[in-house]
Amino acid sequence: MTFMQAATGADTLLKKTLMVVLGSMFIAIAAQFSVPFIPVPLTLQTLAILIVGLSFGSRMGALTVVAYLLEGAAGLPVFAGGASTWALVGPTAGFLFGFIALAYIAGLFAERSKSVVVMAAGALLATVALYIPGVAWPMSVAGLFGVEAGWVGTSAASLWAGWVSPFLIGDAVKAVVAALVVAGGMKALRKT
């Protein structure tokens, strides 16, 4: 049982729909808390997605992120810095699509254990998995899709220096914080 199932009771279509809408809004708001780095900003987006994945479970967490991406594709300013549609083909597109796996993997761990250690490990593993599409997109995948920009074909060394290493400590902290928040919520729920 996920945190949200325990908190809200029986699953109905209305509850699930509300969870997806409110979860995607939570992610969109967190994305606006941004420290501008180039080309990848530092945001609270990943923290929010980890909390959603750990709270909602794998399928609902991933569905919530898909809804978030569809909101951006529809032109709503939900991505970092108020970006929308064009971000889905820009330099951070790999991370945006990787958010689906981030929520799903974190949710899988939360479905199996309510231990803060297990959830933190799952959140860390999910975060590592996020870097795969995040760096694959500018390194080569964007070029395969016909995207022509100065960042397409970026070398592995440049990606490590500018897109990965500056974020590792922050992402590890976010993974642990997300696990602590959800585990703490579960513990408080059990007491009531």
Side-chain angles (χ1 to χ4, degrees), residues 15 85 106 122-123 151 184-185:
K15 283 183 185 177
T85 311
W151 50 265

Side-chain angles (χ1 to χ4, degrees), residues 128-155:
V128 169
L130 172 64
Y131 283 99
I132 296 168
V135 298
W137 175 255
M139 194 171 191
S140 61
V141 176
L144 296 174
F145 280 93
V147 176
E148 294 181 21
W151 50 265
V152 175
T154 303
S155 71

